[in-house]
Amino acid sequence: MIETCPLKVSVYRSGSMVTRRGTVKLEKGSQKVELKGITASTDASSVRLYLPPQVSCSNVQIESFSKQQKEEMQKDLSRKLATLKNKVSIKKKQLALWEGNADFTDKNNISVTEMSDFIEKLPERMEKIYEEINELEQQTKDIQEQLNEIIKQSNARFVSCDLTAQQEGEWPVEMRYRDSRVSWTPCYELHCEDDDSNLKVRLRARIVQNTDEDWKQVAVTLLTGTPDVSGNIPELSAYYVNFRTYRNMNSVTSGSRVMFAKMAEPMEECAMEDTASFESLDVEMKEAVYGEAVATKGDTMMEYELQGLKDLANGQEVIYDIQEQKIDCRYHIVTVPKLSLDAFMAAEVRTTDLEELLRTNADVYYKGAYMGEVYLNPDMTKDTYDLSLGRDENIKVTRTVKKKFTSSVLLKGQKKTEYEFEIRVASSKNHNCQLTVRDQVPVTTDKTIVIDTKELSNGDFDKNSGKVTWNFEIEPSSVKTMTLAYDISWPKD
């Protein structure tokens, strides 16, 4: 039985390709060889052997030990374990006898001298038995661990094959296969400073392997693909469009076409707490970096080759730094008061700078302080993307309904609702900052519905989407107020 050891591993987001290597001593001619190393999670159909040109291979099979072979492998250790357990049992009985003989209540034929001699020697004799028991129990534990390892090996599968060598000698043999219990997860960190126009994006890898063996000094390459996901090309089927009729609806005649409009309700102002302050350390500290990787853009996915050889223990998570890059950005505060009264620190970046980022969560650090977690999901159809860096509690936002009045326009046979909202932004910062406020006016594709904007406070208005954007600089301890007003008219019947 030839032992093989992990040499290198290519880890996908789910699953991996493992390469193991061993050395086999062959005589000239053909002989059967058994290779150890594949685990329970190995995909048997993926096992491939790689040999020098002077050695040929045939009749490759994945085998398991028979019940009789397992019993033979475990026989010697099982016998030793049973013998040790019997010795421990005998010593414990001997100890109980010595303790029992120390009771002289019903023993009238024993002299005082004999009693004194027994009591004087009892501690030494009992201590010796305790030491013998401890030593036997330790031996039992060691033998049990060896037996567990033998049981584990006897339950493992192995590769058998017929190798034919052109000449006698020791030859290397490689075994490659897929293993489903190895994977890695990308972990992003965003580091920013408000006095810097760069955003530092750090990519880290969390690697997990549960193959039931520890890997020592293995070359590791990480790939961003997921081979387990179906690679079939989707097929288009016919897409039918028809009119839909609504039935059994309140105040609507069965079979009529209906338009629905939902207006956003104003939100109450949220109470916010002051941000926590952090005392600076007396000694300047430098952050430790856990390794590095060489990034290569392959034909279908990214590859990150970790530098040096790594130890990956079974059942443990290991984190490595893969890549760090700086992205040009513009820091500003973003708020969307119609949906949330929170203000968010954001870094506006070009979406083309995010093409290599994987869609995942990212931890945000501002001046070294942890600010929370955001989800990276850039819309590549847009020029820029706001990376959220967490809430900014020094910006207070309110959105108040100033008017909501419905009336009838008799001459036009219409009904009209007038809406007016006041948006108030207050800064408690000690320096100027750029602010972006976003709201919206409804849009419609029905010509019988008329939407008329009345007041936008000089905001940028996109007629197609109805979005209104205000970009301005706000001074310390100041307040900025904007008005959003519009009318909606529709046939009164």
Side-chain angles (χ1 to χ4, degrees):
M1 186 73 71
I2 307 301
E3 186 75 40
T4 62
C5 299
L7 179 67
K8 60 182 178 179
V9 58
S10 298
V11 185
Y12 296 89
R13 294 288 300 278
S14 177
S16 66
M17 284 296 298
V18 181
T19 299
R20 308 178 73 94
R21 177 173 288 182
T23 302
V24 56
K25 188 173 183 178
L26 299 176
E27 298 178 356
K28 186 177 180 179
S30 180
Q31 52 244 276
K32 184 174 183 178
V33 175
E34 295 175 343
L35 302 173
K36 295 171 58 177
I38 61 173
T39 61
S41 52
T42 297
D43 181 358
S45 63
S46 69
V47 175
R48 298 290 185 273
L49 298 182
Y50 292 80
L51 300 161
Q54 298 86 346
V55 181
S56 60
C57 176
S58 63
N59 195 27
V60 180
Q61 297 183 20
I62 308 298
E63 298 186 19
S64 300
F65 292 106
S66 65
K67 182 179 179 181
Q68 183 178 356
Q69 288 174 317
K70 291 180 182 180
E71 292 176 351
E72 187 65 28
M73 294 170 67
Q74 302 169 20
K75 182 174 62 175
D76 291 341
L77 288 177
S78 297
R79 187 184 299 114
K80 290 181 181 179
L81 187 63
T83 301
L84 286 170
K85 289 182 177 179
N86 288 334
K87 288 182 178 180
V88 171
S89 177
I90 291 171
K91 289 294 180 182
K92 288 183 177 180
K93 290 179 180 179
Q94 186 179 1
L95 185 65
L97 287 173
W98 279 102
E99 290 176 342
N101 289 333
D103 184 6
F104 302 100
T105 304
D106 299 326
K107 298 176 182 178
N108 300 323
N109 57 346
I110 297 179
S111 66
V112 174
T113 302
E114 291 175 328
M115 291 174 55
S116 300
D117 183 64
F118 184 89
I119 293 173
E120 183 179 348
K121 294 180 179 179
L122 180 62
E124 180 181 351
R125 291 167 177 168
M126 293 185 66
E127 183 178 353
K128 183 179 180 181
I129 295 175
Y130 276 123
E131 290 177 355
E132 291 173 347
I133 291 175
N134 290 336
E135 184 178 351
L136 289 170
E137 287 181 339
Q138 182 60 48
Q139 293 177 19
T140 302
K141 181 180 178 182
D142 295 340
I143 295 296
Q144 183 65 62
E145 290 177 355
Q146 295 176 35
L147 180 59
N148 292 340
E149 183 62 28
I150 291 295
I151 293 174
K152 180 180 174 181
Q153 293 178 11
S154 65
N155 290 329
R157 296 175 296 174
F158 58 91
V159 177
S160 68
C161 59
D162 294 331
L163 299 183
T164 302
Q166 297 178 7
Q167 60 188 36
E168 180 183 355
E170 289 191 357
W171 303 98
V173 55
E174 277 190 8
M175 183 164 54
R176 303 177 191 177
Y177 56 87
R178 290 196 303 270
D179 197 306
S180 60
R181 292 186 183 176
V182 189
S183 62
W184 78 281
T185 305
C187 307
Y188 280 103
E189 290 182 357
L190 307 178
H191 295 262
C192 58
E193 304 285 342
D194 60 1
D195 55 354
D196 192 354
S197 60
N198 292 322
L199 178 72
K200 186 165 63 176
V201 181
R202 180 180 297 164
L203 172 60
R204 313 182 81 192
R206 181 183 291 112
I207 307 173
V208 179
Q209 72 99 342
N210 294 298
T211 61
D212 293 331
E213 68 172 345
D214 295 335
W215 290 350
K216 300 291 185 181
Q217 299 296 286
V218 180
V220 180
T221 300
L222 307 178
L223 299 98
T224 57
T226 308
D228 291 347
V229 178
S230 173
N232 295 332
I233 300 174
E235 293 286 340
L236 288 171
S237 57
Y239 180 45
Y240 298 98
V241 178
N242 293 298
F243 286 105
R244 176 183 293 177
T245 58
Y246 294 86
R247 302 183 182 278
N248 300 325
M249 301 182 65
N250 294 335
S251 70
V252 178
T253 304
S254 176
S256 62
R257 292 181 297 166
V258 184
M259 180 204 74
F260 296 94
K262 181 179 180 181
M263 306 302 298
E265 297 295 330
M267 298 180 64
E268 296 182 359
E269 184 174 2
C270 299
M272 300 182 182
E273 299 178 357
D274 295 334
T275 54
S277 60
F278 297 90
E279 296 181 359
S280 60
L281 297 174
D282 295 335
V283 180
E284 184 178 356
M285 305 292 286
K286 182 180 180 181
E287 183 179 3
V289 178
Y290 309 108
E292 56 183 8
V294 176
T296 304
K297 191 169 186 177
D299 293 334
T300 59
M301 65 187 76
M302 286 293 297
E303 298 181 8
Y304 300 100
E305 181 182 351
L306 301 186
Q307 296 301 287
L309 301 179
K310 308 299 180 185
D311 293 339
L312 300 177
N314 176 61
Q316 293 184 353
E317 290 187 357
V318 182
I319 295 179
Y320 291 103
D321 290 303
I322 296 180
Q323 191 179 50
E324 186 174 284
Q325 58 179 318
K326 286 188 176 181
I327 298 177
D328 293 333
C329 68
R330 179 182 73 91
Y331 290 110
H332 64 146
I333 309 297
V334 179
T335 181
V336 188
K338 179 182 178 182
L339 302 179
S340 171
L341 296 181
D342 291 321
F344 299 85
M345 183 71 176
E348 184 185 64
V349 299
R350 295 188 299 268
T351 51
T352 53
D353 291 335
L354 303 179
E355 288 181 339
E356 303 300 334
L357 295 188
L358 306 175
R359 283 171 170 77
T360 185
N361 294 325
D363 292 325
V364 179
Y365 293 86
Y366 181 63
K367 292 185 176 181
Y370 178 67
M371 303 299 293
E373 186 181 69
V374 296
Y375 182 68
L376 296 178
N377 187 24
D379 183 354
M380 304 309 294
T381 64
K382 297 181 179 179
D383 294 332
T384 61
Y385 176 69
D386 278 329
L387 281 170
S388 177
L389 304 177
R391 289 176 172 79
D392 191 329
E393 298 183 359
N394 292 316
I395 301 294
K396 310 291 184 181
V397 184
T398 58
R399 186 178 189 266
T400 307
V401 179
K402 306 297 289 186
K403 179 190 291 187
K404 184 179 179 182
F405 177 71
T406 302
S407 60
S408 297
V409 184
L410 298 178
L411 296 178
K412 294 184 179 181
Q414 292 180 325
K415 280 192 173 184
K416 180 174 71 173
T417 300
E418 302 173 52
Y419 295 91
E420 182 178 327
F421 301 91
E422 180 184 84
I423 301 171
R424 183 178 180 274
V425 180
S427 172
S428 59
K429 289 180 173 291
N430 56 8
H431 57 83
N432 292 4
C433 63
Q434 296 294 321
L435 214 94
T436 300
V437 180
R438 295 170 183 156
D439 212 301
Q440 66 182 159
V441 172
V443 293
T444 181
T445 56
D446 193 316
K447 294 181 179 180
T448 62
I449 301 171
V450 179
I451 301 172
D452 186 19
T453 56
K454 295 298 184 181
E455 177 61 44
L456 299 179
S457 295
N458 297 321
D460 295 330
F461 180 50
D462 185 341
K463 293 183 179 180
N464 293 325
S465 65
K467 294 180 180 179
V468 184
T469 305
W470 294 272
N471 291 298
F472 55 89
E473 185 177 68
I474 190 169
E475 297 179 350
S477 303
S478 62
V479 177
K480 177 76 172 180
T481 301
M482 291 143 287
T483 299
L484 176 69
Y486 55 87
D487 300 342
I488 300 181
S489 302
W490 68 95
K492 66 179 181 179
D493 57 352

